[in-house]
Amino acid sequence: GVALESICEGRVLMQTDEGIVVARDGDMVTVELQPREGCVSCSLAQFCSGSKGSVASLRATAGTDIRRGDIVEVALDDSVVLKASLALYGIPLVAFLAGVLIGYGLSFLVRQGTAMAILLPVMGGFLLLIPGILGSRRIASHMNPTARVLHKVADNGRCQQ
């Protein structure tokens, strides 16, 4: 699975994973990650692959010794994962709660105890949930997390010593 590794004397936690370098462009490489069971159901999978049906890949900074075909270990700062989680889950939650509160406020305009007074907060919550979800996906798609290559694990199929 994904290992948590301490970087910089235990101050910054990083998500690490292994993959194969499939392309290089200057100091950036594209790393194709090995699919995992948990990736299928993860809503953060779009940061790795753009869609759940495709092969997971990400862009990473790498030294000049990293070439196409190398198996490498890549790291992504946990703060990026936290920001993505906040965008994907926090924005819809806040939108839903705002809709409930607006609906609750509007429920005082109708006669108390009626079905409409009870349904207005529920309808308001779900009505604002939809743009909350769409907005969170839009914001998350504009996030461009860049990982970094920690080291080579293997060089074109040969293990590194």
Side-chain angles (χ1 to χ4, degrees):
V2 175
L4 289 177
E5 179 177 315
S6 291
I7 306 294
C8 299
E9 299 171 20
R11 293 187 189 141
V12 179
L13 289 177
M14 308 282 271
Q15 297 281 339
T16 62
D17 211 344
E18 287 183 10
I20 186 165
V21 176
V22 294
R24 180 166 188 104
D25 182 22
D27 65 342
M28 299 296 290
V29 294
T30 301
V31 179
E32 195 172 273
L33 303 175
Q34 303 301 319
R36 300 183 186 282
E37 292 177 23
C39 293
V40 174
S41 62
C42 178
S43 63
L44 297 175
Q46 72 186 37
F47 290 106
C48 297
S49 60
S51 73
K52 292 181 184 178
S54 64
V55 174
S57 64
L58 56 80
R59 293 187 45 81
T61 58
T64 56
D65 61 323
I66 305 298
R67 296 183 310 258
R68 189 173 190 269
D70 290 346
I71 298 172
V72 295
E73 184 174 21
V74 292
L76 185 63
D77 188 344
D78 275 349
S79 68
V80 173
V81 177
L82 183 61
K83 289 175 189 174
S85 296
L86 183 63
L88 288 171
Y89 298 112
I91 293 171
L93 177 63
V94 169
F96 178 77
L97 293 175
V100 168
L101 291 175
I102 291 168
Y104 181 73
L106 292 175
S107 71
F108 287 107
L109 299 176
V110 298
R111 196 168 61 158
Q112 294 298 313
T114 63
M116 186 54 81
I118 296 169
L119 285 176
L120 275 173
V122 174
M123 291 187 320
F126 284 108
L127 282 174
L128 284 185
L129 179 63
I130 294 167
I133 291 171
L134 296 175
S136 72
R137 288 180 182 246
R138 184 178 184 131
I139 290 169
S141 70
H142 287 29
M143 290 181 174
N144 190 15
T146 302
R148 68 183 172 98
V149 173
L150 295 178
H151 58 84
K152 268 191 225 185
V153 175
D155 182 16
N156 297 324
R158 296 187 323 249
C159 291
Q160 298 292 309
Q161 298 297 331

